Amino acid sequence: VRRSPRAQEGRRPPGPFAWPLLGNVLQLGRLPHLTFCRLAQKYGSVFQIRLGRQAIVVLNGEATIRQALVRQSAQFAGRPNFPSFRLVSGGKSMAFGRYSEQWRAHRRMAHATLKAFSTANAPNKRLFEQHVAAEAQELIEELLLRSAGSAYLDPSPLFTVANANVICALCFGKRYSHADKEFQALLGRNDKFGQTVGAGSLVDVLPWLQRFPNPVRSVFRDFKVLNQELHAFVCAKVAQHRLTYDPQVTRDISDAIIGHIEHGPAGAKEGLSRDYVAGTLTDIFGAGQDTTSTALAWVLLLLLKYPQLQSQLQAELDRVVGRARLPIADDRASLPHLEAFIYETLRYTSFVPVTIPHATTDDVLLDGFRIPKDTVVFVNQWSVNHDQCKWKDPHLFDPGRFLDAEQKLDRDLTCSVMIFSLGKRRCIGDQLSKLQIFLFTAILLHQCSFRPNPTERLTMDCIHGLALKPLPFTVSATRRDTALQSCW
Ligand code: HEM
């Protein structure tokens, strides 16, 4: 790579004093994105901290993040050379892989395949919708069954299985029952993944912690095991697909990727060996189920917190969809209040507050600061979604901010919510997840009403990792038509 002479100019970003050995670890706090916002007020939107001996540049605010991830996209598209990153997806991860020509081909293939099976045109888009609708109906049955006798249940494990089933159907043509203990166990270890790879994780920056028993060492051990288990689950599915592969029929994403890498002319040219089939599928399956289920958990928590919004959204659904059929993707444009509610949930919770860590691929100059090649970069998405200059009262939950005077969705403003990142590393599941969250929320609200447990406090406190998850809460669901009938 040719070094830009300008990138040698400029000074290093400012930042707080870093202690020997630990650096700024003790200053991070439980929610690093909030600490970063405070430090940005003092040092500006580009500043530097140290975690252990690792220098890390933190980017805040829309202008700076766009300047880096969009205008200097290749220079900011790297990933750190962290030991934990090399363990993901059998070492053949696109999401955690370093930026290169081969990586670009890998990402292009993964992105195009995912899109073709979910949000590209009919018939696959319709098939995707059918998968989500079927899972939503199963989910409703489970919620109602477990709410019988006005009981309260923890909805999060059900959301995890329902969302994983959608992605499992796309990838492998298979779904699992909510009672399947092995599938539940496989998915139940997600939190340990996020705690290892999220910003502020100490696993990779304080390697000496691996030498004696402590919580960081056990998180890393769990991380190794869960990656092995997830990858083994995917490898078994790939092996079954290879045995029954028929070039004339592409049943699912596994077939499409096997076709591209093992039977097409492109795979070898792009340097993607057979191992990349399972690597890509582990990435998609891993990234695909945990994030959307977390989004749904926040959606439900906010519906419980704001019951008047729950009723308004149900009224909008009844007006637009009616009671004779379920909501479908084509209703989206006619349900601006529901769309506004979902965008506000994404903005307000910013539940992926900092992206997966990036790294510079060259010496760069950003906002007048010199950042050397291979510097670890944290991108603080929270700072964009809670910027007082951009959002009025950003600390308030107000879906109305996305509606104009005629109650139409303000599309430009929705594009300002940053939760899928930007540039060359932008999430490849963004369109799929928005549609999936819309369909699940619309179908659940159309069919059910949700009541909070009066003995619990509805709090926005969360468990921190790569994604912020609500603390466990319980809910009771009733079928809306039954409720209406009993009123009559
Ligand atoms: C990466 C957010 C759902 C696949 C990412 C990143 C974020 C993100 C913030 C990191 C981008 C960066 O490092 O700059 C989300 C959110 C989701 C979601 C908020 C749901 C609401 C999905 C789904 C899939 C998926 C459903 C797949 C089916 C991926 C992949 C990457 C990624 C493969 C790695 C991209 C790369 O490194 O080039 N996502 N994601 N995500 N996401 Fe998502």
Side-chain angles (χ1 to χ4, degrees), residues 12-57:
R12 293 302 302 269
F17 171 78
W19 294 95
L21 204 63
L22 290 178
N24 304 104
V25 163
L26 300 176
Q27 273 163 279
L28 271 190
R30 205 175 61 81
L31 301 171
H33 54 280
L34 298 183
T35 307
F36 297 156
C37 288
R38 275 195 298 277
L39 290 173
Q41 280 177 357
K42 183 161 180 195
Y43 296 104
S45 58
V46 183
F47 63 83
Q48 180 176 310
I49 56 167
R50 270 184 193 277
L51 295 182
R53 296 174 60 193
Q54 182 77 61
I56 293 169
V57 168

Side-chain angles (χ1 to χ4, degrees), residues 202-222:
L202 303 182
V203 165
D204 292 303
V205 292
L206 300 181
W208 45 269
L209 282 177
Q210 300 305 321
R211 292 201 209 117
F212 56 92
N214 64 74
V216 175
R217 185 163 88 164
S218 57
V219 164
F220 191 45
R221 286 208 169 146
D222 291 348

Side-chain angles (χ1 to χ4, degrees), residues 135-160 162-163 178 296-297 300 303-304 440-441 443-445 447-451 473-479:
E135 282 308 324
Q137 282 164 278
E138 286 281 340
L139 177 62
I140 287 169
E141 292 314 316
E142 287 294 325
L143 286 166
L144 292 173
L145 192 72
R146 296 175 197 208
S147 300
S150 295
Y152 293 94
L153 71 133
D154 176 1
S156 291
L158 297 180
F159 287 164
T160 305
N163 282 281
H178 280 276
L296 276 186
L300 184 57
L303 287 170
L304 297 179
F440 266 118
T441 310
I443 296 173
L444 286 182
L445 272 175
Q447 291 293 300
C448 297
S449 288
F450 299 97
R451 209 157 27 88
F473 65 96
T474 62
V475 60
S476 189
T478 42
R479 197 183 282 284

Side-chain angles (χ1 to χ4, degrees), residues 69 76-79 93-97 103 107 110-111 114 118 167 170-171 253 280 283-296 346 351-358 379 381 418-434 436-437 466-467:
L69 300 194
F76 281 92
R79 292 280 187 225
S93 171
M94 183 276 285
F96 291 85
W103 174 85
R107 176 169 162 120
H111 196 182
L114 188 63
S118 54
I167 213 79
L170 290 188
C171 288
I253 293 183
T280 315
D283 268 0
I284 294 178
F285 184 62
Q289 29 95 17
D290 193 29
T291 38
T292 30
S293 57
T294 304
L296 276 186
L346 299 182
F351 68 85
V352 187
V354 181
T355 68
I356 301 170
H358 284 229
V379 179
Q381 304 199 105
M418 194 183 291
I419 191 150
F420 297 104
S421 188
L422 291 174
K424 293 206 184 297
R425 289 282 180 172
R426 185 182 165 93
C427 173
I428 62 170
D430 56 349
Q431 298 304 325
L432 175 153
S433 356
K434 282 197 265 181
Q436 190 166 327
I437 296 166
L466 182 59

Side-chain angles (χ1 to χ4, degrees), residues 306 344 347-348 386 392-399 401:
Y306 299 96
E344 180 64 347
R347 183 203 69 80
Y348 180 67
H386 291 262
K392 186 170 174 288
D393 299 327
H395 56 289
L396 296 182
F397 183 75
D398 175 18
R401 68 174 82 241

